[in-house]
Amino acid sequence: MNVSAANVTVIEIPFTKVLLKNLIVVGLCVFINSINAGLIYTFSKHQIFNTNPRYILFVHLVINDMIQVTLSVALFVTSYLFYLPMTVCCFFILIAIFTTENTPLNLACMAVECYIAICIPLRHAQICTVKKTRLLISLIWATSLVSVLPDLFMTLATESQDYFKLRVFCVRELVFKNPRIIERRNITYIVYLVLVWCIIFFIYFRIMFTARTASKDAKKARNTIVLHGFQLLLCMATYVEHLVKDMVWQWFRDSYLDVLFACYLLFQILPRFISSIIYGVRDKTFRKHLKGYFLCKISPQ
């Protein structure tokens, strides 16, 4: 079963294909969350990390990714098993949207911190403090709340009580289906795209010019911004997901579900793995402590 532009279309799928897709998705979820759990544990046990604004923002991104990928996979698996009550579906969808919209904002904040560290290092300690970083994380969540909660309020105002007693195939297009909500969502996503990409491009070119004559750290920072940009590109592809679904339905109708599954892995799962790579593997300090965590886990007791 899956969702086309506006309707639910029931499609018979071989059991082996359903089982394989679910095994792939659940396996990736467990793998990514295991790495992320190691990152969070490493962060919490070493003061060098939990007093550094850069790593605080990173761990917030990791926690956000864990919530997002867990909810996403849970909804994926349940979609093959049963319909969810509308109220439960609304709750899960709202949390998934919050975490999805948090990601580009968090990446933009991390890029700004990187810019301050490289381009105005003398003011870095003054500007980037632990207290300000926590306030910034609160602002990220507040921004997502302001962006998403109007969808819920508009749905409460326009739908009857019986609507919330239904059991539904749990996707955003069926829960928040008011045309005004869709129009507002598209405008919000365009603003997000323009704003965040302007920040990323500005910071990349400023760091690139600094890296020409500056230290090795500046060049590493430039490469990190490139990875942020790639991750951002994949994450923000979810902002045009409804358009992708419509195009897939029009162009690949015979293999609709398979193409949609590939898009799901590319846009929903892969970006959450890249976060672990950027800091968990590339960052020397994190890599050293992370190795110790995993060696302890696999060594015989």
Side-chain angles (χ1 to χ4, degrees):
M1 180 182 295
N2 220 303
V3 177
S4 61
N7 303 305
V8 176
T9 304
V10 178
I11 303 174
E12 293 296 328
I13 313 171
F15 174 76
T16 53
K17 182 177 286 190
V18 171
L19 181 63
L20 180 61
K21 287 181 178 180
N22 280 275
L23 287 175
I24 290 172
V25 168
V26 172
L28 287 172
C29 177
V30 172
F31 177 69
I32 292 170
N33 281 347
S34 297
I35 295 175
N36 287 342
L39 293 170
I40 295 170
Y41 178 84
T42 302
F43 170 85
S44 64
K45 291 297 181 180
H46 298 90
Q47 191 174 10
I48 189 175
F49 299 128
N50 53 51
T51 58
N52 187 318
R54 180 175 303 174
Y55 293 114
I56 292 172
L57 282 171
F58 166 64
V59 166
H60 173 253
L61 179 66
V62 168
I63 294 171
N64 186 82
D65 283 352
M66 286 184 73
I67 296 171
Q68 199 280 337
V69 76
T70 302
L71 273 178
S72 175
V73 169
L75 290 174
F76 181 91
V77 173
T78 56
S79 70
Y80 287 99
L81 300 176
F82 48 80
Y83 288 171
L84 288 176
M86 179 65 77
T87 51
V88 175
C89 181
C90 279
F91 176 76
F92 286 153
I93 291 292
L94 285 173
I95 300 298
I97 297 171
F98 288 149
T99 53
T100 299
E101 295 194 1
N102 283 346
T103 298
L105 297 177
N106 202 113
L107 288 171
C109 292
M110 292 173 72
V112 171
E113 188 279 333
C114 192
Y115 162 77
I116 294 170
I118 296 302
C119 297
I120 43 177
L122 297 180
R123 298 190 60 193
H124 181 267
Q126 177 186 358
I127 298 172
C128 300
T129 64
V130 173
K131 183 178 180 180
K132 289 179 180 178
T133 304
R134 289 171 179 165
L135 288 173
L136 187 61
I137 290 171
S138 300
L139 183 61
I140 289 172
W141 278 91
T143 302
S144 295
L145 284 170
V146 170
S147 171
V148 174
L149 285 183
D151 291 359
L152 177 61
F153 296 149
M154 194 176 297
T155 301
L156 289 171
T158 57
E159 300 292 345
S160 65
Q161 290 185 357
D162 291 338
Y163 176 77
F164 295 97
K165 297 177 183 178
L166 297 173
R167 299 181 71 89
V168 294
F169 181 74
C170 193
V171 291
R172 185 177 185 178
E173 292 87 344
L174 293 181
V175 177
F176 304 117
K177 57 185 180 179
N178 189 299
R180 291 184 179 179
I181 292 178
I182 296 172
E183 183 180 353
R184 193 197 63 81
R185 178 191 66 186
N186 292 339
I187 294 172
T188 302
Y189 284 175
I190 290 171
V191 172
Y192 266 51
L193 282 166
V194 172
L195 179 62
V196 176
W197 275 110
C198 284
I199 293 172
I200 292 291
F201 277 119
F202 170 78
I203 290 172
Y204 174 78
F205 286 111
R206 287 300 300 269
I207 291 178
M208 184 179 68
F209 293 139
T210 303
R212 287 181 177 179
T213 56
S215 65
K216 184 179 179 181
D217 288 339
K219 294 180 181 178
K220 182 180 178 182
R222 180 193 61 189
N223 295 335
T224 300
I225 297 299
V226 171
L227 287 173
H228 281 331
F230 176 65
Q231 184 182 13
L232 189 64
L233 181 64
L234 292 178
C235 289
M236 298 187 81
T238 60
Y239 287 6
V240 293
E241 186 177 3
H242 58 291
L243 298 177
V244 173
K245 286 180 178 179
D246 288 343
M247 288 190 293
V248 169
W249 181 253
Q250 294 296 326
W251 297 347
F252 304 100
R253 192 166 299 190
D254 292 339
S255 54
Y256 176 69
L257 295 182
D258 293 333
V259 177
L260 211 58
F261 178 69
C263 292
Y264 171 76
L265 293 179
L266 182 63
F267 300 143
Q268 295 285 350
I269 304 298
L270 181 60
R272 276 75 210 176
F273 177 67
I274 294 175
S275 298
S276 308
I277 297 299
I278 290 177
Y279 277 95
V281 176
R282 290 185 70 248
D283 186 274
K284 290 182 180 179
T285 307
F286 226 121
R287 184 168 66 239
K288 181 179 70 174
H289 290 88
L290 195 61
K291 279 182 180 179
Y293 167 80
F294 282 110
L295 287 174
C296 288
K297 286 295 181 183
I298 63 175
S299 61
Q301 299 297 322

